[in-house]
Amino acid sequence: MISSVLVANRGEIACRVFRTCRELDIRTVAVYSDADENALHTRVADTAVRLPGSTPTETYLRGELIVKAALTAGAEAVHPGYGFLSENADFARAVLDAGLVWIGPPPEAIEAMASKTRAKELMAAAGVPLLAPLDPGAVTEADLPVLVKAASGGGGRGMRIVRELPDLEGELKAASTEAQSAFGDGTVFVEAYVERGRHVEVQIVADTHGTVWAYGTRDCSLQRRHQKVIEEAPAPALAPGVEKRLRSAATAAARTITYTGAGTVEFLVSGDDVHFLEMNTRLQVEHPVTEAVFGIDLVALQLSVAEGAALDGDPPSPSGHAVEARLYAEDPAQNWAPQTGTLHRLSVPGIRLDTGYEDGDTIGVHYDAMLAKAVAYAPTRAEAVRRLAGALERATIHGPVTNRDLLVRSLRHEEFTTARMDTAFYERHLADLTTAAPDPYAPLAAALADAHGRSRFGGWRNLPSQPQTKRYASAHGEHEVHYRRTREGLTADGVRVLSAAANLVVLEIDGVRRKFDVTRHDDRVYVNTTALTVLPRFPDPAAQQAPGSLLAPMPGTVARIADGLTTGSAVQAGDPLIWLEAMKMEHKITAPATGTLTALHAVPGQQVEVGALLAVVQQGPPL
């Protein structure tokens, strides 16, 4: 029996594993980087061991440091979580060689699936249908579009869709660079890209006695940048016989590599066609939807298998439907740019919320931008979708910009509610999903709440006063609002102010009474679900930037500069000039216009803050 577990990970997944360990009376050990010194997973563990440094390569990707931490803290077993070293066969061997229990599949099984190219060879030999890799040097116009993929790792990193043949070489290089940074392996390959396919996967659990259970299906088709956003179980609206084929192929894949523990076999489904994508030899981010539908605890099953227990009888039968949405600190309207800062408040009542954050925690630049996973369960799919959308809409999220509104609109989109979605959903609908009209009365409510209790010259005046003016910025632009303080109290044109307090404003608009909950944190004001930034009455002239200035959209590290780019270089509008790495993803900074690069301040390896000046492009003919 395992009595203590070190989780070789951070954030939400570390907290998730610790939760099951506490329920099973197993002592927990965390590891943490300097950036995670006060992180939630560090605080909730029984014991925590520091990994010096802040970046993943200095800390969570250092297997020898993690094994040493486990031995130092007296842990008996290591759970890898997902990401980082979770699918690293050498790390699994190092854990076993140190006399520790590895809560995962054998290193040989990890190795067999670690390279997606090798995995495809094994699956082809086992009769599992798949898309064969293409020779990058032999790709023609007829093969397009194609997908460049990292041979190691997952999570959408090191993946690029190529639709124009001249772009292939550059995207191969970019994908390789990103994969090297994320997984320590820059190997990439190319395969055909299926435009309207669905991403469907099968959860499996196998014991050391030869039993393999396949826990139904999950649909993970709603993705941004090849990373999953909304997942559900079971996968809806599959063609007749497809689910049985998926479960059979997943079981065959597990048996082919003598798999043990929890894992996921992923497929691309298009109508009746099924293509093997990869096998994730670890716990998946979206595992809670399977837990909800089957009434199981997959972490507990992992621990049980690691202790040598046999899976008894048949797997439980599924019941109902579950949907999960990944809540990210990112701005979908700005090319999914990750956001950082203080998370003042996070509350999504009424449903399961798996998170690695608490109120007051800081969202940093070094790791993934996911704040939490919101999971709703109900007897039917329609009920589960409605419940999740409603819970997110009513959630209190005060801090950096998030994708909450996008999630709500996605869940209510006709293609999703009728189960006609595919992996290109956001390519078609992102613009519509991110341009919803703002609440026009939120800025007024913010101004009235701020004015509550304030008085000038002893209160109201006998003579009519000039209106008070306040300015705010939101995701939809700048807003200027006006109100007056009279004998009757605060007033505003076009609405009736029923009450105004620091945290609650009640307005009557066209005969309809509306309540506005208001919370302020420094210069940020949250009115219901609208986030506003207080603007000064007079803009600071020093804050103005020269036309053509390229500013860092987020804090991060300058990963690289375009080849041959120097001051004086001629550039074309849309040319990628600088790549920023933030939260484990690369972000391209492109030329805003055709012209000349007149200044280049970015240097590879340089740490930059949001708004930092990276370069300047002067529009017009080359100088």
Side-chain angles (χ1 to χ4, degrees):
M1 298 290 289
I2 296 171
S3 63
S4 58
V5 171
L6 178 143
V7 176
N9 219 294
R10 65 173 302 280
E12 175 270 325
I13 185 56
C15 294
R16 164 69 188 92
V17 175
F18 291 159
R19 184 169 69 243
T20 291
C21 287
R22 284 194 299 271
E23 292 170 357
L24 297 176
D25 229 5
I26 295 174
R27 190 170 63 86
T28 57
V29 181
V31 288
Y32 66 92
S33 68
D34 291 340
D36 277 339
E37 181 179 7
N38 297 311
L40 181 60
H41 78 277
T42 306
R43 302 196 301 265
V44 300
D46 295 318
T47 305
V49 181
R50 175 180 175 245
L51 304 176
S54 292
T55 66
T57 53
E58 294 173 313
T59 55
Y60 300 109
L61 291 174
R62 293 281 300 277
E64 74 282 7
L65 294 183
I66 293 174
V67 170
K68 181 181 178 181
L71 296 173
T72 301
E76 292 181 350
V78 173
H79 191 298
Y82 52 70
F84 294 132
L85 295 171
S86 62
E87 295 177 280
N88 186 301
D90 289 338
F91 177 58
R93 289 192 182 95
V95 170
L96 294 169
D97 290 345
L100 301 166
V101 177
W102 170 248
I103 304 174
E108 295 75 19
I110 299 174
E111 207 159 49
M113 294 290 106
S115 168
K116 295 180 179 63
T117 51
R118 173 61 177 150
K120 284 177 177 287
E121 293 171 0
L122 289 171
M123 294 303 101
V128 176
L130 50 80
L131 293 170
L134 302 172
D135 178 359
V139 172
T140 67
E141 292 282 354
D143 297 316
L144 299 176
V146 296
L147 184 65
V148 179
K149 299 179 69 174
S152 301
R157 298 173 186 90
M159 295 180 69
R160 300 287 192 281
I161 300 173
V162 179
R163 301 185 184 279
E164 303 290 338
L165 202 56
D167 297 338
L168 180 58
E169 183 178 353
E171 295 294 17
L172 283 166
K173 180 178 180 180
S176 177
T177 299
E178 188 172 75
Q180 180 66 41
S181 174
F183 315 119
D185 180 1
T187 307
V188 296
F189 68 98
V190 178
E191 67 182 17
Y193 178 66
V194 180
E195 292 277 9
R196 299 295 296 264
R198 289 176 58 186
H199 186 124
V200 181
E201 59 191 30
V202 178
Q203 173 72 57
I204 60 102
V205 176
D207 63 20
T208 55
H209 307 277
T211 300
V212 179
W213 283 355
Y215 285 97
T217 58
R218 294 190 291 251
D219 189 294
C220 310
S221 296
L222 263 64
Q223 302 177 8
R224 54 76 162 138
R225 302 183 66 167
H226 311 295
Q227 287 186 315
K228 300 162 189 172
V229 177
I230 295 176
E231 304 106 341
E232 59 182 306
L238 292 176
V242 167
E243 180 175 352
K244 183 177 180 180
R245 290 169 57 199
L246 290 169
R247 286 190 282 107
S248 176
T251 302
R255 293 193 184 282
T256 297
I257 59 173
T258 317
Y259 195 83
T260 62
T264 296
V265 187
E266 300 190 341
F267 300 89
L268 190 64
V269 177
S270 180
D272 293 330
D273 293 332
V274 172
H275 305 289
F276 169 83
L277 286 176
E278 61 184 335
M279 183 175 184
N280 295 132
T281 54
R282 54 170 169 79
L283 197 64
Q284 289 280 83
V285 178
E286 58 271 21
H287 74 272
V289 292
T290 297
E291 292 183 326
V293 168
F294 283 88
I296 57 173
D297 183 329
L298 285 166
V299 174
L301 279 171
Q302 286 184 296
L303 292 163
S304 179
V305 168
E307 291 176 333
L311 296 171
D312 188 23
D314 296 320
S317 299
S319 176
H321 203 93
V323 188
E324 172 183 295
R326 301 190 192 186
L327 183 66
Y328 285 95
E330 66 182 12
D331 189 347
Q334 300 298 323
N335 196 29
W336 312 98
Q339 307 292 301
T340 60
T342 301
L343 182 65
H344 299 289
R345 183 84 173 101
L346 175 62
S347 175
V348 190
I351 61 173
R352 173 175 171 175
L353 190 73
D354 285 12
T355 181
Y357 292 94
E358 285 185 331
D359 296 353
D361 285 350
T362 298
I363 303 164
V365 301
H366 298 290
Y367 312 112
D368 190 80
M370 190 175 73
L371 296 181
K373 303 180 312 194
V375 186
Y377 170 81
T380 68
R381 181 178 190 267
E383 291 174 290
V385 170
R386 182 173 62 187
R387 186 179 182 199
L388 181 56
L392 287 168
E393 186 175 50
R394 294 187 299 272
T396 302
I397 307 170
H398 296 165
V401 174
T402 73
N403 66 335
R404 182 259 300 275
D405 292 344
L406 176 80
L407 294 175
V408 173
R409 294 171 194 142
S410 300
L411 290 164
R412 290 173 174 166
H413 193 280
E414 182 189 16
E415 279 190 24
F416 186 82
T417 58
T418 57
R420 293 185 292 111
M421 65 282 181
D422 56 62
T423 55
F425 178 84
Y426 286 121
E427 291 181 34
R428 295 192 300 275
H429 302 301
L430 182 61
D432 293 337
L433 293 170
T434 54
T435 55
D439 187 335
Y441 297 101
L444 175 60
L448 294 174
D450 184 59
H452 170 71
R454 297 190 182 194
S455 62
R456 294 184 63 192
F457 309 113
W460 63 271
R461 303 181 187 181
N462 196 33
L463 297 174
S465 64
Q466 292 297 314
Q468 302 295 304
T469 301
K470 288 191 179 296
R471 297 172 59 246
Y472 298 92
S474 74
H476 305 280
E478 294 189 7
H479 313 272
E480 186 171 277
V481 296
H482 308 278
Y483 64 92
R484 285 184 173 87
R485 188 185 300 277
T486 69
R487 185 193 304 243
E488 288 77 25
L490 295 169
T491 65
D493 294 339
V495 301
R496 183 182 173 201
V497 182
L498 300 181
S499 65
N503 297 312
L504 178 65
V505 173
V506 183
L507 304 178
E508 186 178 287
I509 305 163
D510 296 330
V512 178
R513 178 178 296 198
R514 290 188 58 192
K515 295 180 179 179
F516 298 84
D517 293 308
V518 183
T519 305
R520 180 163 178 168
H521 301 279
D522 299 323
D523 66 343
R524 293 280 282 178
V525 184
Y526 300 89
V527 182
N528 293 342
T529 60
T530 300
L532 302 167
T533 300
V534 181
L535 296 177
R537 291 184 62 191
F538 306 104
D540 182 2
Q544 302 298 315
Q545 293 288 346
S549 295
L550 301 183
L551 307 180
M554 67 207 74
T557 304
V558 177
R560 57 195 175 99
I561 307 292
D563 290 342
L565 186 69
T566 61
T567 301
S569 295
V571 299
Q572 297 290 318
D575 282 353
L577 306 181
I578 300 166
W579 284 261
L580 270 186
E581 184 178 301
M583 296 184 176
K584 302 185 353 186
M585 297 291 287
E586 275 198 350
H587 306 269
K588 284 190 290 191
I589 310 297
T590 61
T594 297
T596 303
L597 188 78
T598 58
L600 179 60
H601 301 284
V603 178
Q606 174 188 9
Q607 296 283 330
V608 296
E609 295 298 321
V610 62
L613 181 62
L614 303 176
V616 179
V617 173
Q618 181 174 323
Q619 186 174 359
L623 299 178

